[in-house]
Amino acid sequence: MLVTQPESIQRQASGPRIGLAVAGGGPVGLIYEIGALRALDEALEGVDLNRLDVYIGVSAGAVMAALLANQFKPSQICHIFINNESEEHPLDPQIFLVPALGEYARRLATVPGLLWRSFWRYLRNPLDLSLLQSLTLLGRALPAGFFDNEPIHDYLQRMWNAPGRTDDFRQLAKRLFVVAVDLDTGESIKFGAPGYDHVPISRAVQASAALPGLYPPVEIDGRFFVDGALRKTMHASVALQEGLDLLLCLNPLVPFDARLSKKAVGAPQQVGRLVEGGLPVVLSQTFRALIHSRLQVGMQKYDSEYPNSDVIMFEPNSDDAKMFFTNVFSFSGRHWVCEHAYQTTRQDLLARREELEPVLARHGIRMRLDLLQDRSRRYYTGLRDPQPRALIARRASDSRPVRELHAALDRLQEILPATASR
């Protein structure tokens, strides 16, 4: 009581402390988060997503948290990552899929030595080891990641070194934490915390998003780091420890319940049960179930460990076949996944209105029902403002195919909802 009373007085004087925790989820998670945040940004009046007190991000969520902390508005993020319309930060989606040729070459160079060691190991112990067992040393020649994450780092570094931005945790106006895991110890490291705030934000995000197998570990100060989700899905407790009154959470990946959605729009017709989808579907479901179970355990603990903090979670429904089966590596895929996340988040706010309105009101936040009930709204509503004539003229001559693609996608997005409801 002696501790909490001064805190409560201080909070009343300074206003509610609000934070954002964003989980990972690879490319599909990043696109979901952009759409969901776009919906929250316009539907919640009284909260500015660029002026929160604390941001915590893991993996793809680290990209979103760092962008918001660096004063990129959700609408700007849509321009850059979804519509690919940013003149200042043009995005080439291929940066996410650049083969790690340097890693391949380095590992390939070790094959002759590993072969010699394997045969020598067998010759020394022919009765204890079979030749096949001796050749297990060749596993060291496999690359630590299939894709190179340096292009991703370089792109983020350029963005956060632009005028008005920063690649330095210590120069941000608000607290930002990016979580990665030390590969050699399994320890979670909070970049942005004292002792780790000297690391550039772009390098910390690269480390946090280094999903094992997909991207190689990232070396920082002589240590190698991988995806922060290896230990915890969201690390929301890192933000709650900062004394928040309200924490908004985004989690893009949930296990799919095929029993609830056997005929759901978006599920491949040839997949009756998930096992029929082959190894990719089985691995996806397994990964989602593992990380979501950990998240649920953590969320249950927060009620007792942080009784003075409200926590609100936003995530897809378990019967959302579109989120489970979609492939968002294509340009058009990113468009409709963002739109899907935008609309489902709006629907979630309306469905949970009785539950959420009193909680949000405690922190001075009001739900914009006029916007939520406007069925004509899309994630891109209001994004395509009139532009200078010179820029329009240049685009007319240089980017006509891109503009035509945008128009076609917009028409398709208008048609899909009507088709799905039939």
Side-chain angles (χ1 to χ4, degrees):
M1 296 299 294
L2 294 177
V3 176
T4 58
Q5 184 64 24
E7 283 186 350
S8 64
I9 294 175
Q10 182 179 2
R11 289 184 183 183
Q12 291 176 6
S14 61
R17 287 176 53 80
I18 303 175
L20 175 69
V22 195
V28 67
L30 179 64
I31 303 307
Y32 172 87
E33 289 157 1
I34 293 174
L37 284 168
R38 171 69 175 155
L40 295 176
D41 182 52
E42 68 174 19
L44 300 183
E45 184 178 75
V47 60
D48 186 341
L49 294 180
N50 292 114
R51 298 185 182 276
L52 303 180
D53 294 278
V54 181
Y55 299 86
I56 171 72
V58 181
S59 192
V63 178
M64 288 304 307
L67 286 168
L68 292 171
N70 233 314
Q71 301 305 302
F72 282 90
K73 297 182 181 300
S75 57
Q76 291 176 296
I77 298 173
C78 284
H79 273 302
I80 296 170
F81 288 90
I82 308 302
N83 294 343
N84 202 13
E85 293 175 335
S86 173
E87 293 291 315
E88 184 181 7
H89 307 291
L91 173 67
D92 180 2
Q94 294 302 316
I95 66 171
F96 299 106
L97 299 172
V98 176
L101 298 180
E103 173 72 3
Y104 297 165
R106 187 175 70 84
R107 297 286 179 170
L108 186 62
T110 66
V111 171
L114 291 173
L115 276 173
W116 169 250
R117 290 173 59 186
S118 297
F119 285 122
W120 179 246
R121 182 183 180 190
Y122 170 71
L123 293 174
R124 290 181 60 187
N125 303 283
L127 299 179
D128 294 332
L129 294 173
S130 67
L131 180 59
L132 186 60
Q133 289 174 320
S134 300
L135 290 174
T136 56
L137 284 175
L138 289 176
R140 300 182 183 182
L142 294 176
F146 288 106
F147 301 113
D148 188 359
N149 47 16
E150 275 300 317
I152 300 174
H153 163 261
D154 294 342
Y155 177 74
L156 296 176
Q157 184 182 51
R158 289 194 299 272
M159 288 182 69
W160 294 329
N161 278 311
R165 320 292 183 186
T166 180
D167 201 22
D168 190 331
F169 284 99
R170 297 163 294 187
Q171 294 181 11
L172 290 172
K174 302 295 183 178
R175 300 297 302 274
L176 168 66
F177 299 102
V178 172
V179 181
V181 171
D182 187 317
L183 182 63
D184 291 317
T185 66
E187 178 187 7
S188 295
I189 299 299
K190 298 181 294 184
F191 292 106
Y196 296 98
D197 54 1
H198 67 284
V199 176
I201 299 173
S202 56
R203 188 65 72 187
V205 170
Q206 178 193 11
S208 181
L211 182 64
L214 193 63
Y215 296 108
V218 177
E219 184 176 5
I220 299 175
D221 295 339
R223 302 164 67 179
F224 288 89
F225 294 91
V226 293
D227 196 313
L230 264 65
R231 287 294 302 269
K232 291 183 179 180
T233 303
M234 186 174 290
H235 293 270
S237 59
V238 174
L240 291 170
Q241 289 167 5
E242 297 294 311
L244 296 177
D245 297 294
L246 172 65
L247 179 64
L248 303 175
C249 301
L250 275 180
N251 172 48
L253 297 185
V254 298
F256 179 64
D257 192 336
R259 297 171 302 176
L260 300 177
S261 187
K262 290 183 178 180
K263 297 181 180 181
V265 175
Q269 295 182 356
Q270 69 270 25
V271 178
R273 293 181 297 179
L274 293 186
V275 69
E276 298 175 21
L279 182 61
V281 171
V282 172
L283 289 179
S284 176
Q285 179 76 332
T286 302
F287 176 72
R288 290 165 181 256
L290 285 173
I291 64 172
H292 197 257
S293 63
R294 294 187 312 179
L295 179 61
Q296 288 179 316
V297 171
M299 295 295 289
Q300 292 170 358
K301 291 182 179 179
Y302 298 153
D303 291 337
S304 58
E305 294 179 356
Y306 306 98
N308 296 322
S309 300
D310 289 319
V311 180
I312 300 178
M313 171 73 75
F314 296 96
E315 59 183 9
N317 294 324
S318 58
D319 63 347
D320 193 335
K322 288 185 176 181
M323 280 300 297
F324 184 79
F325 288 103
T326 191
N327 177 1
V328 296
F329 283 103
S330 67
F331 184 84
S332 59
R334 295 202 308 277
H335 270 275
W336 83 258
V337 170
C338 182
E339 175 66 18
H340 180 68
Y342 172 81
Q343 296 296 351
T344 54
T345 302
R346 284 160 48 85
Q347 294 166 11
D348 188 30
L349 285 168
L350 284 174
R352 298 163 61 190
R353 177 183 174 186
E354 292 186 3
E355 167 199 349
L356 295 180
E357 276 192 323
V359 177
L360 294 171
R362 285 202 294 267
H363 309 289
I365 303 173
R366 183 178 73 89
M367 293 174 58
R368 290 286 308 274
L369 296 180
D370 56 327
L371 296 181
L372 290 173
Q373 293 172 346
D374 182 357
R375 296 185 179 182
S376 67
R377 294 191 70 85
R378 300 291 183 264
Y379 84 85
Y380 51 81
T381 300
L383 290 184
R384 293 173 186 170
D385 300 324
Q387 303 191 32
R389 292 184 177 181
L391 180 58
I392 294 176
R394 189 179 66 80
R395 283 188 171 176
S397 60
D398 296 344
S399 304
R400 182 176 179 182
V402 174
R403 292 189 296 105
E404 291 177 349
L405 175 60
H406 279 299
L409 290 172
D410 290 346
R411 289 194 297 271
L412 181 61
Q413 287 168 339
E414 297 289 343
I415 294 171
L416 284 177
T419 304
S421 62
R422 293 175 182 174

